[in-house]
Amino acid sequence: MISSGETAVATASNASVTLIAAVAGQFFQQLVIVNEGSVAGYFSIDGGATWGRLPASARLDLSVRIENQAVTIKRITDGSNLADVYGFML
């Protein structure tokens, strides 16, 4: 398992930020993202080519195949910043 750590991840601008860093030589089949904040945003598992919706105050539990790729999050363009986001992969 790899996680985003004990400290919540947040955004500070329209730029995406890394939620979980890429791990070379391993692939993961399950991604869990917990957004404890009151603001919705987006997440990406492919370097920002595509974005999935990250609802406010929600937990996403996704079956995926992630290999040597970071998981990133971003706020809605010019919206409020995401705060209190955590993630882990198995």
Side-chain angles (χ1 to χ4, degrees), residues 17-29:
V17 296
T18 299
L19 178 64
I20 304 172
V23 179
Q26 280 189 286
F27 79 91
F28 298 91
Q29 299 179 67

Side-chain angles (χ1 to χ4, degrees), residues 35-77:
N35 181 1
E36 294 180 347
S38 60
V39 175
Y42 299 98
F43 72 96
S44 177
I45 63 172
D46 63 4
T50 55
W51 293 94
R53 180 80 168 157
L54 177 58
S57 303
R59 173 191 164 120
L60 300 179
D61 194 344
L62 306 168
S63 294
V64 295
R65 180 170 174 91
I66 299 174
E67 187 171 358
N68 197 27
Q69 186 67 44
V71 176
T72 55
I73 60 172
K74 70 176 183 176
R75 71 182 188 189
I76 296 169
T77 303

Side-chain angles (χ1 to χ4, degrees), residues 3-35:
S3 79
S4 58
E6 295 178 5
T7 303
V9 176
T11 60
S13 69
N14 287 336
S16 63
V17 296
T18 299
L19 178 64
I20 304 172
V23 179
Q26 280 189 286
F27 79 91
F28 298 91
Q29 299 179 67
Q30 183 177 10
L31 170 64
V32 177
I33 301 175
V34 180
N35 181 1

